[in-house]
Amino acid sequence: MNEETGAGPDKATGPANAPGTSGKGAPGDRARDTGNAHGRTGPHPGTPTGGSHDSSRSPAEDGVPAADGPPHPEAAPPVERRLHPVTPLRRAWAPVALLAGWALHDPNSAYRHVSDLATGTLLLGLGVLLPAAALYGFLSWWVTHFSVTDTELRIRTGVLFRRTAHIRLDRLQAVDVTQPLLARFLGVAKLKMDVIGTSSKDELAYLGEAEARALRAELLARAAGFSPEEAGEVGEAPVRELVRVAPRMLAVSLLLTATTWLSLIGALLVPGFLWFATHNLWTVLAAGVPLLGAAGARSAGRFVREYDWTLGESPDGLRLDHGLLDRSHETVPPGRVQTVRIVEPWLWRRLGWVRVELDVAGSDNGVLLPVADHATARGIIGRVLAGAEVPEEFVRPPGRAAWCVPAWWRGYGLAVTDRLFAARHGLFHRTVALVPHAKVQSVRLKQGPWQRHQGVADLHVDTGASKTVTAHLRDATEAATLLRDQADRSRTGRRTAQPDRWMTGEGQGSGAGGAATPG
């Protein structure tokens, strides 16, 4: 049994992605509905200020004599700019990386070829390769230009084949500034742009740190509707710090994560077992190195990435600053959050700590808070979900669900409020998924043969971020009722949802007003 009900609106309610909603593929909703990203009201790019008119008709056709005087001057072409002069160093690694990839792909053949070459030939090859790589890096930097117009960001590049990317400003939903370790020493930064309808981020690398921040502010200002003259004067939106995660708290949380210890134990036991079984060093290294790398990524690597995690609020959305070596400055755009997950590992429960994750349509920002206490997490979630409160009580499946999933069925739960669809799963590693009704794209009911025999079914809720939240093993009659009711709640939620206006109090609650610094 597989029944599906679309959560889209009926004919009387208009399209699903109407202004004020944040469904997937709705370009420019925030810019049109919220004025602009900096809390000021400005015209949208390309919108005339004196009412609408048909540009294909001449004044004489409308019965209005043409005004005397000189014609209006044509708009000046946009000023093209280059990337930072250190960029060729980054581009020059492409030929070297190609040879390195060939050597790693077939090391025996690479070793034979290198050993067959005379010393003079090898030095001559290096003397040709290094200048060629430097020339390629310089040429790729020289032919790369970018410019900002009233409606788009243009990136023109290509040494042999020209490529011009046109990024519409009304489809920008976030602009992030990232600084790898070497870039921090050189004073440069990388600009990454989240664009609606694309799975990967466009980027400009590298720019001077000050120039990157100024360009980010200019792009967001123009996308919000400021004129080109005003956009350069607006500057970067102010940020108010909400939460800062202490390094000690982050380190303790990683030590209390079971997956960290399981990966470390596996990295130690598996190579030892393989050594006693095969006595082959290469076999041990082939298995041990990936396991050690995975263990490091789950512990030390995560600590490095999430170090000094700072969550702030600005007119552009929620700002995330983090990183010990590579520093990242990311933005969670308002109105684009589809799902919020509260993750509570078993060893964290005694301390009252949780991890807050999220799904954002068209973005890969996946962590909101790496670790926080319950009160802080609930306050921040209240701001992200426009004042919605996290349910306290969850209804378990009926007792006969134990015949489908013994013991683990006790970790399942469901709660539906006037704002949220909330599903819980996990007996030890507990996760609560929160979906605003307005973000639900479709609702599906699934029932296998054994579930049909026991009279239970699974209810799946699909969101705009291509994710699914499931309420497991609900009573079959209850699930059928939930299927119809959730479709109605989703349509109603989209009709009544207010546009998200950050730092104005509209469309959001005051749940995070008391957010503190954990740790």
Side-chain angles (χ1 to χ4, degrees), residues 374-446:
H374 274 285
T376 301
R378 288 176 179 272
I380 296 300
I381 292 172
R383 302 195 78 84
V384 174
L385 299 181
E389 295 184 359
V390 180
E392 295 283 352
E393 300 293 334
F394 288 82
V395 180
R396 283 181 177 175
R400 58 183 179 275
W403 292 99
C404 298
V405 182
W408 296 99
W409 70 275
R410 295 180 177 275
Y412 296 142
L414 174 66
V416 180
T417 68
D418 58 341
R419 304 283 296 277
L420 298 174
F421 178 92
R424 185 185 67 190
H425 67 88
L427 192 59
F428 297 106
H429 190 86
R430 182 178 298 169
T431 301
V432 176
L434 309 172
V435 183
H437 296 313
K439 306 300 182 183
V440 176
Q441 301 294 314
S442 64
V443 188
R444 296 176 289 118
L445 188 148
K446 286 189 176 182

Side-chain angles (χ1 to χ4, degrees), residues 33 39 44 68 71 117 136 219 226 247 262 297 308 316 348 406 433 466 500:
D33 292 341
H44 193 274
D68 295 333
L117 295 176
Y136 171 79
L219 291 176
F226 284 98
L262 291 176
D308 192 28
D316 304 324
W348 290 17
S466 301
D500 297 275

